[in-house]
Protein backbone atom coordinates (compact mmCIF):
# COMPACT_ATOMS: atom_id res chain seq x y z
CA UNK A 1 0.00 0.00 0.00
CA UNK A 2 1.19 3.53 -0.73
CA UNK A 3 1.92 5.83 2.15
CA UNK A 4 -0.72 8.56 2.69
CA UNK A 5 0.34 12.02 1.66
CA UNK A 6 0.95 14.22 4.73
CA UNK A 7 -1.55 17.05 5.26
CA UNK A 8 1.01 19.87 4.96
CA UNK A 9 2.10 18.50 1.58
CA UNK A 10 -1.50 18.16 0.37
CA UNK A 11 -2.09 21.82 1.24
CA UNK A 12 1.23 23.13 -0.05
CA UNK A 13 1.00 21.63 -3.53
CA UNK A 14 -2.16 23.49 -4.64
CA UNK A 15 -0.71 26.73 -3.25
CA UNK A 16 2.40 26.27 -5.36
CA UNK A 17 0.37 25.33 -8.45
CA UNK A 18 -1.88 28.36 -7.94
CA UNK A 19 1.16 30.64 -7.76
CA UNK A 20 2.64 29.06 -10.90
CA UNK A 21 -0.61 29.45 -12.83
CA UNK A 22 -1.06 33.03 -11.62
CA UNK A 23 2.51 33.84 -12.67
CA UNK A 24 1.90 32.21 -16.06
CA UNK A 25 -1.28 34.24 -16.55
CA UNK A 26 0.46 37.49 -15.66
CA UNK A 27 3.42 36.65 -17.88
CA UNK A 28 1.28 35.76 -20.89
CA UNK A 29 -0.89 38.85 -20.55
CA UNK A 30 2.09 41.13 -19.93
CA UNK A 31 4.16 39.84 -22.85
CA UNK A 32 1.50 39.29 -25.51
CA UNK A 33 -0.80 42.27 -25.01
CA UNK A 34 0.00 45.16 -27.41
CA UNK A 35 0.26 47.82 -24.73
CA UNK A 36 1.48 50.61 -27.01
CA UNK A 37 1.03 50.94 -30.76
CA UNK A 38 1.19 54.66 -31.46
CA UNK A 39 1.21 57.94 -29.56
CA UNK A 40 -2.36 59.22 -29.43
CA UNK A 41 -3.68 62.72 -28.80
CA UNK A 42 -6.29 63.14 -26.10
CA UNK A 43 -9.62 61.87 -27.49
CA UNK A 44 -12.17 64.62 -28.05
CA UNK A 45 -15.66 63.74 -29.26
CA UNK A 46 -16.40 67.34 -30.24
CA UNK A 47 -13.81 67.12 -33.04
CA UNK A 48 -15.81 64.56 -35.02
CA UNK A 49 -19.36 64.53 -33.70
CA UNK A 50 -21.94 67.26 -34.01
CA UNK A 51 -23.70 68.65 -30.96
CA UNK A 52 -26.88 66.87 -32.09
CA UNK A 53 -25.07 63.52 -32.34
CA UNK A 54 -23.51 63.94 -28.91
CA UNK A 55 -26.84 64.98 -27.38
CA UNK A 56 -28.60 61.94 -28.89
CA UNK A 57 -25.97 59.56 -27.52
CA UNK A 58 -26.13 61.20 -24.10
CA UNK A 59 -29.93 61.05 -24.01
CA UNK A 60 -29.98 57.42 -25.12
CA UNK A 61 -27.57 56.38 -22.41
CA UNK A 62 -29.39 58.51 -19.84
CA UNK A 63 -32.54 56.50 -20.55
CA UNK A 64 -30.88 53.10 -21.02
CA UNK A 65 -28.21 52.86 -18.33
CA UNK A 66 -30.45 52.87 -15.24
CA UNK A 67 -32.22 49.76 -16.55
CA UNK A 68 -29.16 47.95 -17.89
CA UNK A 69 -27.23 48.71 -14.69
CA UNK A 70 -30.11 47.45 -12.55
CA UNK A 71 -30.19 44.21 -14.59
CA UNK A 72 -26.47 43.74 -14.10
CA UNK A 73 -26.74 44.31 -10.36
CA UNK A 74 -29.65 41.91 -10.04
CA UNK A 75 -27.88 39.24 -12.09
CA UNK A 76 -25.02 39.44 -9.57
CA UNK A 77 -27.13 39.65 -6.42
CA UNK A 78 -29.24 36.55 -7.08
CA UNK A 79 -26.39 34.00 -7.14
CA UNK A 80 -24.30 35.89 -4.57
CA UNK A 81 -27.06 36.20 -1.96
CA UNK A 82 -28.24 32.64 -2.42
CA UNK A 83 -24.77 31.13 -2.62
CA UNK A 84 -23.12 32.97 0.26
CA UNK A 85 -26.00 32.41 2.69
CA UNK A 86 -27.61 29.26 4.11
CA UNK A 87 -30.40 29.70 1.56
CA UNK A 88 -28.37 27.85 -1.05
CA UNK A 89 -28.05 24.73 1.08
CA UNK A 90 -31.74 24.89 2.03
CA UNK A 91 -32.77 25.01 -1.60
CA UNK A 92 -30.60 21.98 -2.33
CA UNK A 93 -32.06 20.05 0.62
CA UNK A 94 -35.58 20.89 -0.55
CA UNK A 95 -35.05 19.04 -3.83
CA UNK A 96 -34.74 15.67 -2.03
CA UNK A 97 -33.20 13.75 -4.93
CA UNK A 98 -29.87 12.03 -5.45
CA UNK A 99 -27.08 14.54 -5.89
CA UNK A 100 -26.61 13.91 -9.62
CA UNK A 101 -30.25 14.94 -10.14
CA UNK A 102 -30.35 17.67 -7.52
CA UNK A 103 -27.28 19.53 -8.79
CA UNK A 104 -28.62 20.07 -12.36
CA UNK A 105 -32.04 21.06 -11.03
CA UNK A 106 -30.52 23.60 -8.64
CA UNK A 107 -28.17 25.06 -11.25
CA UNK A 108 -30.90 25.37 -13.89
CA UNK A 109 -33.34 26.75 -11.32
CA UNK A 110 -30.99 29.44 -10.05
CA UNK A 111 -30.21 30.47 -13.61
CA UNK A 112 -33.90 30.66 -14.41
CA UNK A 113 -34.54 32.70 -11.26
CA UNK A 114 -31.82 35.19 -12.21
CA UNK A 115 -33.27 35.47 -15.71
CA UNK A 116 -36.81 36.02 -14.42
CA UNK A 117 -35.75 38.59 -11.82
CA UNK A 118 -34.18 40.74 -14.53
CA UNK A 119 -37.16 40.55 -16.90
CA UNK A 120 -38.70 43.91 -15.81
CA UNK A 121 -35.47 45.89 -16.15
CA UNK A 122 -34.53 44.14 -19.39
CA UNK A 123 -37.96 44.88 -20.83
CA UNK A 124 -37.48 48.56 -20.05
CA UNK A 125 -34.01 48.51 -21.63
CA UNK A 126 -35.48 46.86 -24.74
CA UNK A 127 -38.17 49.54 -24.93
CA UNK A 128 -35.47 52.23 -24.91
CA UNK A 129 -33.55 50.44 -27.68
CA UNK A 130 -36.73 50.30 -29.75
CA UNK A 131 -37.53 53.93 -29.08
CA UNK A 132 -34.17 54.94 -30.58
CA UNK A 133 -34.48 52.55 -33.52
CA UNK A 134 -31.64 50.30 -32.39
CA UNK A 135 -33.77 47.19 -31.81
CA UNK A 136 -35.98 45.72 -34.55
CA UNK A 137 -36.93 42.39 -32.96
CA UNK A 138 -40.43 41.46 -31.84
CA UNK A 139 -41.21 40.25 -28.34
CA UNK A 140 -41.48 36.62 -29.43
CA UNK A 141 -37.87 36.67 -30.66
CA UNK A 142 -36.78 38.54 -27.53
CA UNK A 143 -38.31 35.86 -25.29
CA UNK A 144 -36.92 33.08 -27.45
CA UNK A 145 -33.39 34.53 -27.20
CA UNK A 146 -33.64 34.72 -23.41
CA UNK A 147 -34.78 31.11 -23.24
CA UNK A 148 -31.96 29.90 -25.47
CA UNK A 149 -29.42 31.94 -23.49
CA UNK A 150 -30.66 30.43 -20.24
CA UNK A 151 -30.58 26.89 -21.67
CA UNK A 152 -27.06 27.19 -23.09
CA UNK A 153 -25.69 28.75 -19.90
CA UNK A 154 -27.45 26.11 -17.80
CA UNK A 155 -25.88 23.31 -19.87
CA UNK A 156 -22.38 24.71 -19.37
CA UNK A 157 -22.81 25.40 -15.65
CA UNK A 158 -24.42 22.01 -15.04
CA UNK A 159 -21.48 20.33 -16.75
CA UNK A 160 -19.05 22.32 -14.59
CA UNK A 161 -20.90 21.70 -11.31
CA UNK A 162 -21.51 18.00 -11.95
CA UNK A 163 -17.95 17.50 -13.11
CA UNK A 164 -16.40 19.23 -10.10
CA UNK A 165 -18.57 17.44 -7.56
CA UNK A 166 -18.09 14.04 -9.24
CA UNK A 167 -14.32 14.40 -9.43
CA UNK A 168 -14.10 15.69 -5.85
CA UNK A 169 -16.17 12.75 -4.61
CA UNK A 170 -13.99 10.29 -6.53
CA UNK A 171 -10.56 11.75 -5.64
CA UNK A 172 -11.04 13.71 -2.45
CA UNK A 173 -7.38 14.76 -2.14
CA UNK A 174 -6.22 15.44 -5.69
CA UNK A 175 -9.51 16.21 -7.43
CA UNK A 176 -8.37 19.71 -8.25
CA UNK A 177 -5.48 18.54 -10.45
CA UNK A 178 -7.63 16.61 -12.92
CA UNK A 179 -10.41 19.23 -12.68
CA UNK A 180 -7.99 22.03 -13.57
CA UNK A 181 -6.91 20.17 -16.71
CA UNK A 182 -10.53 19.42 -17.58
CA UNK A 183 -11.46 23.08 -17.09
CA UNK A 184 -8.75 24.23 -19.49
CA UNK A 185 -9.84 21.64 -22.07
CA UNK A 186 -13.48 22.73 -21.67
CA UNK A 187 -12.60 26.35 -22.47
CA UNK A 188 -10.63 25.21 -25.51
CA UNK A 189 -13.49 23.01 -26.70
CA UNK A 190 -16.20 25.65 -26.24
CA UNK A 191 -14.18 28.23 -28.15
CA UNK A 192 -13.62 25.74 -30.98
CA UNK A 193 -17.24 24.60 -31.39
CA UNK A 194 -18.91 27.94 -30.59
CA UNK A 195 -19.21 29.10 -34.23
CA UNK A 196 -20.86 25.87 -35.40
CA UNK A 197 -22.94 24.91 -32.35
CA UNK A 198 -23.93 28.17 -30.62
CA UNK A 199 -23.99 30.95 -33.22
CA UNK A 200 -26.50 29.13 -35.49
CA UNK A 201 -28.92 29.03 -32.55
CA UNK A 202 -29.33 32.79 -32.93
CA UNK A 203 -28.64 33.66 -36.56
CA UNK A 204 -28.82 32.21 -40.03
CA UNK A 205 -25.64 32.49 -42.07
CA UNK A 206 -25.32 32.66 -45.83
CA UNK A 207 -22.32 33.16 -48.08
CA UNK A 208 -21.79 36.67 -49.36
CA UNK A 209 -23.26 36.77 -52.84
CA UNK A 210 -20.76 36.48 -55.73
CA UNK A 211 -19.78 39.84 -57.11
CA UNK A 212 -17.29 42.65 -56.94
CA UNK A 213 -17.59 43.16 -53.16
CA UNK A 214 -17.04 39.48 -52.36
CA UNK A 215 -14.06 39.33 -54.73
CA UNK A 216 -12.58 42.47 -53.17
CA UNK A 217 -12.90 41.15 -49.62
CA UNK A 218 -11.40 37.76 -50.49
CA UNK A 219 -8.57 39.52 -52.32
CA UNK A 220 -8.00 41.69 -49.24
CA UNK A 221 -7.70 38.54 -47.12
CA UNK A 222 -5.28 37.03 -49.62
CA UNK A 223 -3.22 40.22 -49.61
CA UNK A 224 -3.12 40.00 -45.81
CA UNK A 225 -1.98 36.39 -45.87
CA UNK A 226 -5.09 35.20 -44.02
CA UNK A 227 -6.70 32.07 -45.50
CA UNK A 228 -10.40 32.86 -45.89
CA UNK A 229 -12.53 30.56 -48.02
CA UNK A 230 -15.78 32.39 -47.50
CA UNK A 231 -17.37 35.53 -46.06
CA UNK A 232 -20.56 34.76 -44.15
CA UNK A 233 -23.49 37.16 -43.76
CA UNK A 234 -25.55 37.03 -40.55
CA UNK A 235 -29.22 38.03 -40.64
CA UNK A 236 -28.69 40.52 -37.81
CA UNK A 237 -31.35 42.87 -39.16
CA UNK A 238 -34.09 40.74 -37.58
CA UNK A 239 -32.86 42.03 -34.21
CA UNK A 240 -31.00 45.29 -34.68
CA UNK A 241 -29.98 48.16 -36.92
CA UNK A 242 -26.42 48.17 -35.51
CA UNK A 243 -23.47 47.60 -37.81
CA UNK A 244 -20.88 44.97 -36.97
CA UNK A 245 -18.66 42.11 -38.09
CA UNK A 246 -16.62 39.55 -36.20
CA UNK A 247 -14.24 36.61 -36.32
CA UNK A 248 -14.90 33.53 -34.19
CA UNK A 249 -13.47 30.06 -33.74
CA UNK A 250 -10.04 28.87 -34.78
CA UNK A 251 -8.60 26.22 -37.05
CA UNK A 252 -11.30 24.49 -39.08
CA UNK A 253 -14.13 26.38 -37.29
CA UNK A 254 -12.81 29.90 -37.86
CA UNK A 255 -15.28 32.11 -39.66
CA UNK A 256 -15.44 35.70 -40.84
CA UNK A 257 -18.96 37.10 -40.40
CA UNK A 258 -20.46 40.45 -41.40
CA UNK A 259 -23.89 41.73 -40.43
CA UNK A 260 -26.37 42.18 -43.25
CA UNK A 261 -26.98 45.66 -41.84
CA UNK A 262 -23.35 46.56 -42.49
CA UNK A 263 -23.57 45.50 -46.14
CA UNK A 264 -26.84 47.39 -46.55
CA UNK A 265 -26.04 50.67 -44.79
CA UNK A 266 -22.27 51.19 -45.03
CA UNK A 267 -20.38 52.27 -48.17
CA UNK A 268 -18.14 49.55 -49.70
CA UNK A 269 -14.98 51.39 -48.62
CA UNK A 270 -16.12 51.28 -44.98
CA UNK A 271 -17.14 47.63 -45.23
CA UNK A 272 -13.64 46.94 -46.50
CA UNK A 273 -12.14 48.64 -43.45
CA UNK A 274 -14.37 46.73 -41.06
CA UNK A 275 -13.33 43.45 -42.68
CA UNK A 276 -9.68 44.55 -42.54
CA UNK A 277 -10.14 45.03 -38.79
CA UNK A 278 -11.47 41.47 -38.45
CA UNK A 279 -8.65 40.14 -40.61
CA UNK A 280 -6.33 41.73 -38.08
CA UNK A 281 -7.84 39.50 -35.41
CA UNK A 282 -7.36 36.45 -37.65
CA UNK A 283 -3.80 37.40 -38.62
CA UNK A 284 -2.79 37.81 -34.97
CA UNK A 285 -4.63 34.66 -33.84
CA UNK A 286 -6.58 36.70 -31.31
CA UNK A 287 -9.32 34.09 -30.79
CA UNK A 288 -6.80 31.35 -30.05
CA UNK A 289 -4.78 33.75 -27.90
CA UNK A 290 -7.86 34.66 -25.87
CA UNK A 291 -8.78 30.99 -25.59
CA UNK A 292 -5.34 30.16 -24.22
CA UNK A 293 -5.63 32.90 -21.60
CA UNK A 294 -9.12 31.64 -20.76
CA UNK A 295 -7.82 28.09 -20.37
CA UNK A 296 -5.09 29.25 -17.99
CA UNK A 297 -7.68 31.27 -16.09
CA UNK A 298 -10.00 28.27 -15.81
CA UNK A 299 -7.22 26.07 -14.45
CA UNK A 300 -6.25 28.77 -11.94
CA UNK A 301 -9.89 29.17 -10.88
CA UNK A 302 -10.19 25.44 -10.14
CA UNK A 303 -7.06 25.45 -8.00
CA UNK A 304 -8.33 28.56 -6.23
CA UNK A 305 -11.57 26.69 -5.51
CA UNK A 306 -9.49 23.96 -3.90
CA UNK A 307 -7.79 26.52 -1.66
CA UNK A 308 -11.06 28.21 -0.72
CA UNK A 309 -13.37 25.23 -0.41
CA UNK A 310 -11.08 22.32 0.32
CA UNK A 311 -12.98 19.09 0.98
CA UNK A 312 -16.33 20.93 0.79
CA UNK A 313 -16.16 20.65 -3.00
CA UNK A 314 -17.25 17.01 -2.70
CA UNK A 315 -20.46 18.04 -0.93
CA UNK A 316 -23.17 18.86 -3.51
CA UNK A 317 -24.96 20.94 -0.88
CA UNK A 318 -22.41 23.65 -1.70
CA UNK A 319 -23.48 23.88 -5.37
CA UNK A 320 -25.04 27.33 -4.87
CA UNK A 321 -21.83 28.48 -3.20
CA UNK A 322 -19.88 27.25 -6.22
CA UNK A 323 -22.11 29.28 -8.56
CA UNK A 324 -21.71 32.34 -6.34
CA UNK A 325 -17.93 32.01 -6.48
CA UNK A 326 -18.01 31.66 -10.27
CA UNK A 327 -20.17 34.80 -10.46
CA UNK A 328 -17.86 36.74 -8.14
CA UNK A 329 -14.75 35.62 -10.01
CA UNK A 330 -16.23 36.61 -13.35
CA UNK A 331 -17.14 40.08 -12.09
CA UNK A 332 -13.79 40.66 -10.41
CA UNK A 333 -11.82 39.60 -13.48
CA UNK A 334 -13.87 41.75 -15.89
CA UNK A 335 -11.68 44.89 -15.66
CA UNK A 336 -8.54 42.93 -16.59
CA UNK A 337 -10.31 41.09 -19.40
CA UNK A 338 -11.67 44.35 -20.78
CA UNK A 339 -8.28 46.07 -20.56
CA UNK A 340 -6.65 43.31 -22.59
CA UNK A 341 -9.59 43.27 -25.04
CA UNK A 342 -9.33 47.03 -25.64
CA UNK A 343 -5.65 46.70 -26.49
CA UNK A 344 -6.35 43.77 -28.82
CA UNK A 345 -9.10 45.74 -30.55
CA UNK A 346 -6.80 48.74 -30.91
CA UNK A 347 -4.23 46.49 -32.61
CA UNK A 348 -6.92 45.29 -35.04
CA UNK A 349 -7.74 48.94 -35.81
CA UNK A 350 -4.06 49.60 -36.43
CA UNK A 351 -3.95 46.54 -38.66
CA UNK A 352 -6.87 47.80 -40.75
CA UNK A 353 -5.14 51.15 -41.22
CA UNK A 354 -1.91 49.46 -42.26
CA UNK A 355 -3.68 47.08 -44.63
CA UNK A 356 -5.89 49.65 -46.36
CA UNK A 357 -3.95 52.91 -45.91
CA UNK A 358 -7.21 54.90 -45.87
CA UNK A 359 -7.34 56.91 -42.62
CA UNK A 360 -9.99 59.26 -43.99
CA UNK A 361 -12.33 56.33 -44.67
CA UNK A 362 -11.34 54.85 -41.31
CA UNK A 363 -12.47 57.95 -39.43
CA UNK A 364 -15.66 58.12 -41.49
CA UNK A 365 -16.31 54.45 -40.71
CA UNK A 366 -15.80 54.88 -36.97
CA UNK A 367 -18.07 57.90 -37.03
CA UNK A 368 -20.87 56.04 -38.82
CA UNK A 369 -20.53 52.96 -36.62
CA UNK A 370 -20.75 55.12 -33.52
CA UNK A 371 -23.75 57.14 -34.69
CA UNK A 372 -25.67 54.11 -35.96
CA UNK A 373 -24.88 51.94 -32.92
CA UNK A 374 -25.32 54.91 -30.53
CA UNK A 375 -22.01 54.01 -28.92
CA UNK A 376 -20.87 55.68 -25.71
CA UNK A 377 -18.52 58.55 -26.54
CA UNK A 378 -17.35 59.35 -23.02
CA UNK A 379 -18.43 56.66 -20.53
CA UNK A 380 -17.81 57.12 -16.83
CA UNK A 381 -14.55 55.70 -15.56
CA UNK A 382 -16.11 52.77 -13.72
CA UNK A 383 -18.25 51.79 -16.72
CA UNK A 384 -15.22 52.01 -18.96
CA UNK A 385 -13.29 49.57 -16.79
CA UNK A 386 -16.17 47.21 -16.04
CA UNK A 387 -17.86 46.99 -19.45
CA UNK A 388 -15.83 48.55 -22.28
CA UNK A 389 -14.12 45.78 -24.27
CA UNK A 390 -13.44 48.15 -27.20
CA UNK A 391 -11.82 51.58 -27.26
CA UNK A 392 -14.33 54.43 -27.34
CA UNK A 393 -15.10 55.93 -30.77
CA UNK A 394 -13.08 59.10 -29.99
CA UNK A 395 -10.11 56.89 -29.03
CA UNK A 396 -10.38 54.93 -32.27
CA UNK A 397 -10.71 58.08 -34.34
CA UNK A 398 -7.68 59.53 -32.55
CA UNK A 399 -5.72 56.49 -33.70
CA UNK A 400 -6.79 57.15 -37.30
CA UNK A 401 -5.55 60.72 -37.09
CA UNK A 402 -2.30 59.72 -35.39
CA UNK A 403 -1.66 57.02 -38.00
CA UNK A 404 -2.31 59.49 -40.82
CA UNK A 405 0.14 62.00 -39.33
CA UNK A 406 2.80 59.36 -38.68
CA UNK A 407 2.62 57.95 -42.22
CA UNK A 408 2.25 61.20 -44.12
CA UNK A 409 -1.30 60.43 -45.23
CA UNK A 410 -4.14 62.89 -45.54
CA UNK A 411 -5.33 63.77 -42.05
CA UNK A 412 -9.10 63.24 -41.78
CA UNK A 413 -10.98 66.54 -41.61
CA UNK A 414 -12.78 67.66 -38.52
CA UNK A 415 -16.54 67.62 -38.35
CA UNK A 416 -18.12 70.68 -40.03
CA UNK A 417 -19.07 73.28 -37.44
Amino acid sequence: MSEPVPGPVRNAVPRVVALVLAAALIAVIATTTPWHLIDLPKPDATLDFTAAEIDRQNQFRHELLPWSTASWVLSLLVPLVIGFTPLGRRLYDAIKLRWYYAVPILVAGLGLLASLVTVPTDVMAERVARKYGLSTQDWALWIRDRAVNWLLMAIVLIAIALGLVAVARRWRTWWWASAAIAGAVLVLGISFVYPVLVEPRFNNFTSLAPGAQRDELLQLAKQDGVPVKDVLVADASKRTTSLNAYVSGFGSTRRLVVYDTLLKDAPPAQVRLVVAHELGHAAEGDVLHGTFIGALGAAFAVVLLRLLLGARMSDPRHTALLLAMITAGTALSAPVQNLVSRKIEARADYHSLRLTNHPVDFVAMEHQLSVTNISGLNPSRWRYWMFANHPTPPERIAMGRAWASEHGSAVPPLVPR
Side-chain angles (χ1 to χ4, degrees):
M1 293 181 61
S2 60
E3 292 292 328
V5 180
V9 175
R10 290 199 304 268
N11 294 327
V13 172
R15 292 193 188 99
V16 172
V17 173
L19 288 174
V20 170
L21 288 173
L25 263 174
I26 293 171
V28 170
I29 291 173
T31 59
T32 62
T33 302
W35 299 108
H36 180 76
L37 295 167
I38 192 172
D39 292 328
L40 299 179
K42 184 178 180 180
D44 184 355
T46 63
L47 295 177
D48 296 276
F49 296 89
T50 65
E53 290 168 343
I54 294 174
D55 288 344
R56 180 170 181 264
Q57 184 275 148
N58 287 337
Q59 185 60 34
F60 171 71
R61 298 180 74 78
H62 175 74
E63 295 183 36
L64 177 72
L65 291 182
W67 303 116
S68 61
T69 303
S71 287
W72 175 70
V73 171
L74 289 171
S75 69
L76 292 179
L77 284 179
V78 169
L80 293 180
V81 170
I82 294 176
F84 287 126
T85 66
L87 182 58
R89 294 190 295 276
R90 292 172 187 165
L91 289 174
Y92 177 89
D93 292 337
I95 297 174
K96 298 185 183 305
L97 292 172
R98 293 184 180 274
W99 72 269
Y100 42 81
Y101 295 125
V103 167
I105 292 172
L106 181 61
V107 171
L110 291 180
L112 181 59
L113 176 61
S115 181
L116 292 176
V117 165
T118 58
V119 164
T121 50
D122 288 344
V123 165
M124 296 305 297
E126 173 67 11
R127 288 170 62 90
V128 173
R130 293 184 182 195
K131 173 183 175 181
Y132 282 83
L134 195 60
S135 175
T136 60
Q137 63 186 339
D138 57 30
W139 287 111
L141 182 57
W142 185 84
I143 294 171
R144 183 256 182 202
D145 283 350
R146 290 181 70 89
V148 173
N149 269 318
W150 164 74
L151 179 60
L152 293 174
M153 185 60 67
I155 290 173
V156 172
L157 290 176
I158 287 171
I160 292 173
L162 277 178
L164 286 173
V165 174
V167 171
R169 289 169 69 89
R170 177 64 179 83
W171 295 289
R172 291 182 179 270
T173 301
W174 299 102
W175 65 267
W176 56 272
S178 56
I181 296 172
V185 172
L186 179 64
V187 170
L188 186 68
I190 289 176
S191 180
F192 181 75
V193 303
Y194 190 88
V196 294
L197 290 186
V198 177
E199 290 176 9
R201 307 286 78 80
F202 296 95
N203 289 102
N204 294 318
F205 299 90
T206 57
S207 296
L208 181 61
Q213 188 171 45
R214 174 186 168 87
D215 293 341
E216 181 184 24
L217 296 181
L218 291 177
Q219 178 59 36
L220 185 67
K222 183 178 180 181
Q223 173 189 336
D224 201 25
V226 177
V228 173
K229 296 181 181 179
D230 199 4
V231 179
L232 298 180
V233 181
D235 58 342
S237 57
K238 66 185 179 183
R239 290 187 180 86
T240 183
T241 58
S242 65
L243 314 179
N244 201 5
Y246 65 87
V247 168
S248 61
F250 57 89
S252 61
T253 66
R254 184 173 66 192
R255 51 171 53 186
L256 172 61
V257 178
V258 296
Y259 280 16
D260 57 352
T261 52
L262 181 70
L263 297 175
K264 176 179 177 293
D265 297 330
Q270 294 184 19
V271 174
R272 188 171 184 267
L273 272 156
V274 172
V275 171
H277 171 99
E278 301 306 329
L279 290 175
H281 287 308
E284 296 290 345
D286 289 339
V287 174
L288 188 57
H289 171 261
T291 301
F292 178 64
I293 292 177
L296 277 176
F300 172 73
V302 170
V303 181
L304 193 60
L305 281 174
R306 160 61 181 82
L307 296 175
L308 295 174
L309 294 180
R312 287 182 293 171
M313 192 67 253
S314 63
D315 183 355
R317 297 178 73 238
H318 292 104
T319 297
L321 175 60
L322 170 65
L323 296 180
M325 296 182 76
I326 292 174
T327 301
T330 301
L332 291 173
S333 63
V336 175
Q337 294 180 44
N338 288 329
L339 172 62
V340 173
S341 178
R342 288 193 298 271
K343 297 299 181 181
I344 295 295
E345 294 296 336
R347 180 172 64 188
D349 282 343
Y350 191 86
H351 183 95
S352 69
L353 285 162
R354 180 188 60 78
L355 184 60
T356 62
N357 192 26
H358 284 295
V360 173
D361 287 337
F362 177 87
V363 169
M365 172 199 70
E366 293 295 347
H367 177 270
Q368 179 169 357
L369 289 179
S370 177
V371 171
T372 303
N373 299 348
I374 324 182
S375 304
L377 302 178
N378 186 30
S380 63
R381 184 52 50 182
W382 82 271
R383 289 187 184 280
Y384 183 76
W385 284 99
M386 282 302 302
F387 304 113
N389 53 21
H390 284 63
T392 64
E395 288 174 330
R396 303 177 87 164
I397 289 174
M399 173 175 283
R401 295 192 188 285
W403 195 92
S405 298
E406 186 176 275
H407 291 80
S409 301
V411 178
L414 304 180
V415 68
R417 307 316 300 176

